[in-house]
Amino acid sequence: MAYQHILVAVDLTEDCQPVIRRAVALGQCCGSKVSLVHVVEPMAMAFGGDVPMDLSSLQQQQIEQARERLDGFTTQYAELAGNCVLAYGQPRQEIHRMAKEQGCDLIVVGSHGRHGLALLLGSTSNDLLHGAPCDTLAVALKKDKA
């Protein structure tokens, strides 16, 4: 059974390029629709909830930069034109919600394959696997050798 709708969840770093390429290639093979999503987390969540200052202008800049980056992907990958979504909230919840609402049957995400302490602290790709409403493909990302 071929996938009908592939949802690619990206963090907008350079690491997302191989993830997008893999998903687009898979979509071409299967004749699938490919959608891209990036989730901007509320800054207050990143700082533990209580922040004694107004972060709204910084948050707005972050959203605008993310929108520009997403728009850039549509010029690189014609398959994504009109299918790029910028969401706001907790990544796992928003990606799962979008996958359900749009009837996606595959979520594609990049994975650094962390071990040890980094694994215990968790990652978005690992978090997405739990409770996903459809199949999930974790694209292995190569580590830089330092």
Side-chain angles (χ1 to χ4, degrees), residues 16-130:
C16 72
Q17 288 289 349
V19 178
I20 296 170
R21 282 194 299 271
R22 178 74 52 93
V24 167
L26 184 59
Q28 289 171 340
C29 289
C30 297
S32 310
K33 176 180 178 180
V34 180
S35 296
L36 188 73
V37 63
H38 172 71
V39 181
V40 175
E41 280 189 89
M43 285 187 163
M45 286 177 69
F47 293 108
D50 280 336
V51 180
M53 58 193 283
D54 182 13
L55 299 173
S56 59
S57 64
L58 288 174
Q59 188 81 68
Q60 189 57 40
Q61 284 178 345
Q62 184 183 29
I63 290 168
E64 289 168 10
Q65 289 172 350
R67 172 53 56 204
E68 287 176 21
R69 186 98 162 103
L70 276 178
D71 289 346
F73 289 130
T74 61
T75 58
Q76 268 184 288
Y77 304 96
E79 299 86 349
L80 298 177
N83 296 324
C84 292
V85 176
L86 181 61
Y88 182 77
Q90 198 276 333
R92 176 185 179 207
Q93 292 172 349
E94 291 302 311
I95 293 165
H96 286 181
R97 179 190 57 76
M98 186 174 167
K100 286 179 197 170
E101 286 178 2
Q102 294 198 8
C104 299
D105 45 9
L106 178 67
I107 297 171
V108 178
V109 64
S111 175
H112 289 280
R114 291 182 170 91
H115 301 291
L117 185 58
L119 182 59
L120 290 174
L121 294 174
S123 69
T124 301
S125 58
N126 187 44
D127 198 26
L128 277 173
L129 292 172
H130 300 287

